[in-house]
Amino acid sequence: EPPLVLTLQTLEMRQERQDAPVSLAAQGSMGKEPFSLQGQVQLPGQAGRPWPLQATLNYAGLEATVEGQVQNLLAGQGLDLQVRFQVPRPAQLGLPPWPGPWRLSGRLSDPRPQTLRLKDLVLEGPAGRLQGQAEMAWPEKRLRIDADLEAQNLDLSPWWGLGEAGETPASAGSRNGERRPGRVFSNAPLDLAGLNQADLDLRIKAQTLKMPRLDLEQVNLRLELNQGTLSLNPLEARLAGGPASLRLTLAPQEGQALARADLSLRGCQIGEVLRRAGAEEVLTGSLEGQLEARGQGASLAGIMASLEGKLVAQVRGGYLNLRHLGILGADLAGGILSALGEAVGAQETNALHCLVLGLLAKDGQVSSTALALDSQRLVLLGRGRLNLKTEELDLAWRPLPKSGLTAAGGVGLSLGQLAKPFKITGTLASPRLSLDEAQVLATLGKTLGGFAALGPLGLAAGLASTGGVDSQLCQEALAAARKGVPYEPRSGLTQPLERLGESLGRSLQKLLPR
């Protein structure tokens, strides 16, 4: 970048009498922006006395005011100054295009050589009001900033959507300036060199932290930047009534970034999370989850393409809203909900015993270890894969209604109609829904085990549970997810076959004459 040229147009210094303060007024430009400086300094009566001063600078919309005293004015040492800054538009100062305006105030001192400290710091802007203290030091010419701040409410929503106009997640990122249409993860190179410009230790506490589609409470975070390694260690908060903890690390290594993420959730109300995200409350209940992931690459897409990790999550003790399952697609709604129409007309929800999700990632290939749902009237089993290198999906589910489900007036619903399997293929940016039963069963494979031979009736009978969050299906699916092995129903075929025989027997009795 070209150097910033300072042009001084006028400079005026005036002292009315020997014991009066010296007034200063200057005008000029720095680069293309004009500036003006006004102030006064009181010359000390004797050596060793502090220099009282006051000054105001206006530049590119910035208004900076200092007032206090300096022990050694020429050396800039012994500072005791009240400072105030107002920045209407940060972009005018060459800063990132953050929303404005911003106001900063505090008491500036220099407790040690090459160190500035700002106490009683107050920072106000579109995000909210932060208070605390900060220290900036540059020993050995390397800048380090330490800050300890607190806030009542913080709102980061204004920061979302600050990218280029028209840029969407599916098109964001480029290689050699070209877009990557149809992809979610950006291939734009990460600015790893920028992480090595300074060191940072930022600690923030806030009662609430608002982001688009997500609200956190009782937030306690620490953001560190040390010799080029960026870490969020940790971010602890309460999410929808339960504790949440997140740790992130991004470390440069030979032109690439080593990334690691660890997330823990406990007791979060999934219905509230969905509602705040603007989604339909398909289910409610208590969410617990654990994520461990790591990857390496020069871009976000590169990191995801090498991802290694494990996810285990479960929702327990809530309700499943069958009507809102229609958000999965019109075809799915037609395949399942048309058969459930009369049954859910009077009762749209049914008790959810558990929803278990287990994922395992190796070299960018994600496979499910558990995709299982057990509710009062419906069991759903699935299996799938996700190629993070190509972002291609191959997911399949089979809904299995439990025996005894009847419509209004006691008319039985067809188990064949209710057990319409479905499959999701395509990519993350453009998923496709399919109701091809042969393809679904091929993907599910051993997930259905020997039950598949019995058809929907045998499946429903074998997997039906008397209820409760500790049903056999819930326990088996969760155990498999935690071990990182594919879940396969281990219930024997004896019970399903017995139930199938009893059902056939009752049907024959109705047909035979008495």
Side-chain angles (χ1 to χ4, degrees):
E1 295 183 1
L4 187 64
V5 178
L6 173 63
T7 303
L8 188 61
Q9 296 174 338
T10 63
L11 174 62
E12 181 181 350
M13 299 181 66
R14 179 182 299 177
Q15 186 179 30
E16 298 293 341
R17 59 183 186 276
Q18 188 173 1
D19 60 347
V22 176
S23 298
L24 171 68
Q27 289 186 337
S29 62
M30 285 188 287
K32 298 181 180 181
E33 295 288 343
F35 79 88
S36 66
L37 176 65
Q38 293 181 332
Q40 60 181 22
V41 57
Q42 177 69 55
L43 301 179
Q46 53 184 307
R49 296 293 297 274
W51 298 56
L53 63 85
Q54 179 275 329
T56 299
L57 170 68
N58 288 280
Y59 168 69
L62 165 70
E63 181 178 308
T65 301
V66 297
E67 186 173 0
Q69 61 183 27
V70 180
Q71 191 69 32
N72 188 334
L73 181 62
L74 297 180
Q77 296 176 346
L79 305 179
D80 185 9
L81 301 170
Q82 185 68 34
V83 298
R84 291 182 295 275
F85 298 90
Q86 295 190 58
V87 183
R89 295 177 297 276
Q92 278 190 277
L93 297 173
L95 298 173
W98 300 332
W102 287 91
R103 291 178 294 276
L104 173 67
S105 64
R107 196 155 197 89
L108 185 66
S109 63
D110 56 334
R112 298 181 301 277
Q114 298 177 307
T115 302
L116 293 176
R117 177 180 294 167
L118 192 60
K119 296 183 66 176
D120 303 326
L121 182 156
V122 177
L123 177 62
E124 296 179 279
R129 189 174 191 267
L130 289 158
Q131 301 180 84
Q133 64 178 15
E135 189 170 282
M136 181 172 63
W138 52 96
E140 300 179 359
K141 298 183 180 180
R142 183 174 180 84
L143 178 64
R144 178 176 179 83
I145 300 175
D146 290 87
D148 201 338
L149 306 173
E150 294 187 7
Q152 187 68 26
N153 303 300
L154 288 178
D155 185 358
L156 301 185
S157 301
W159 269 259
W160 265 254
L162 292 180
E164 295 182 33
E167 183 173 289
T168 64
S171 64
S174 63
R175 181 182 296 273
N176 298 326
E178 297 180 359
R179 296 290 184 188
R180 298 178 74 233
R183 295 294 178 90
V184 171
F185 303 122
S186 170
N187 205 30
L190 297 172
D191 183 13
L192 301 177
L195 296 178
N196 205 30
Q197 301 300 310
D199 294 334
L200 172 69
D201 189 351
L202 174 63
R203 301 168 296 280
I204 296 179
K205 293 182 179 180
Q207 285 300 309
T208 63
L209 177 61
K210 182 178 178 59
M211 294 176 282
R213 305 179 184 275
L214 182 66
D215 293 343
L216 301 177
E217 298 176 344
Q218 301 177 26
V219 178
N220 188 355
L221 68 86
R222 184 173 188 177
L223 182 66
E224 293 183 278
L225 181 58
N226 187 14
Q227 300 295 323
T229 296
L230 179 66
S231 60
L232 182 63
N233 188 23
L235 187 160
E236 294 178 333
R238 294 191 68 81
L239 171 62
S245 176
L246 173 65
R247 285 174 167 79
L248 295 173
T249 303
L250 189 67
Q253 186 178 77
E254 299 179 354
Q256 294 189 331
L258 296 175
R260 182 179 179 89
D262 293 277
L263 173 66
S264 174
L265 302 173
R266 191 173 75 251
C268 301
Q269 298 306 306
I270 185 64
E272 184 176 346
V273 173
L274 293 172
R275 184 170 62 255
R276 291 184 180 183
E280 298 284 359
E281 289 186 60
V282 178
L283 55 88
T284 65
S286 179
L287 168 65
E288 297 186 8
Q290 191 78 35
L291 168 69
E292 300 174 359
R294 60 189 180 276
Q296 179 175 350
S299 64
L300 177 59
I303 292 174
M304 299 303 292
S306 66
L307 200 70
E308 304 271 341
K310 180 180 177 182
L311 169 68
V312 178
Q314 65 168 327
V315 179
R316 309 167 75 218
Y319 289 90
L320 174 68
N321 194 320
L322 296 174
R323 274 205 191 281
H324 288 161
L325 284 176
I327 65 172
L328 296 175
D331 292 337
L332 179 58
I336 301 175
L337 299 183
S338 61
L340 287 174
E342 293 186 22
V344 302
Q347 183 183 359
E348 294 185 4
T349 60
N350 71 107
L352 174 71
H353 305 324
C354 73
L355 169 63
V356 179
L357 173 63
L359 300 175
L360 196 64
K362 293 184 179 180
D363 191 29
Q365 304 295 320
V366 181
S367 59
S368 67
T369 53
L371 292 174
L373 180 148
D374 183 13
S375 71
Q376 176 186 354
R377 297 184 289 164
L378 182 72
V379 168
L380 188 145
L381 295 177
R383 177 165 288 183
R385 298 181 297 274
L386 169 60
N387 185 338
L388 290 174
K389 301 178 189 291
T390 62
E391 300 187 11
E392 292 177 312
L393 288 160
D394 186 14
L395 308 175
W397 284 273
R398 183 161 194 173
L400 307 166
K402 294 185 176 179
S403 58
L405 182 62
T406 58
V411 179
L413 296 176
S414 166
L415 287 171
Q417 281 184 301
L418 293 173
K420 294 290 186 182
F422 59 96
K423 185 180 179 73
I424 297 178
T425 57
T427 66
L428 289 175
S430 182
R432 296 190 301 272
L433 180 70
S434 169
L435 298 176
D436 189 319
E437 186 167 357
Q439 291 185 11
V440 173
L441 294 179
T443 299
L444 289 175
K446 293 184 179 180
T447 298
L448 299 179
F451 293 114
L454 302 178
L457 181 60
L459 282 164
L463 294 172
S465 63
T466 56
V469 295
D470 294 322
S471 69
Q472 181 175 339
L473 186 152
C474 297
Q475 294 181 50
E476 292 180 358
L478 185 59
R482 286 173 173 168
K483 292 179 182 178
V485 297
Y487 164 59
E488 298 175 8
R490 291 184 296 174
S491 302
L493 292 180
T494 303
Q495 186 179 24
L497 287 172
E498 290 175 353
R499 292 185 179 179
L500 179 60
E502 293 173 0
S503 178
L504 292 174
R506 287 193 296 269
S507 299
L508 289 173
Q509 287 178 359
K510 294 179 181 179
L511 295 174
L512 295 175
R514 295 184 180 181

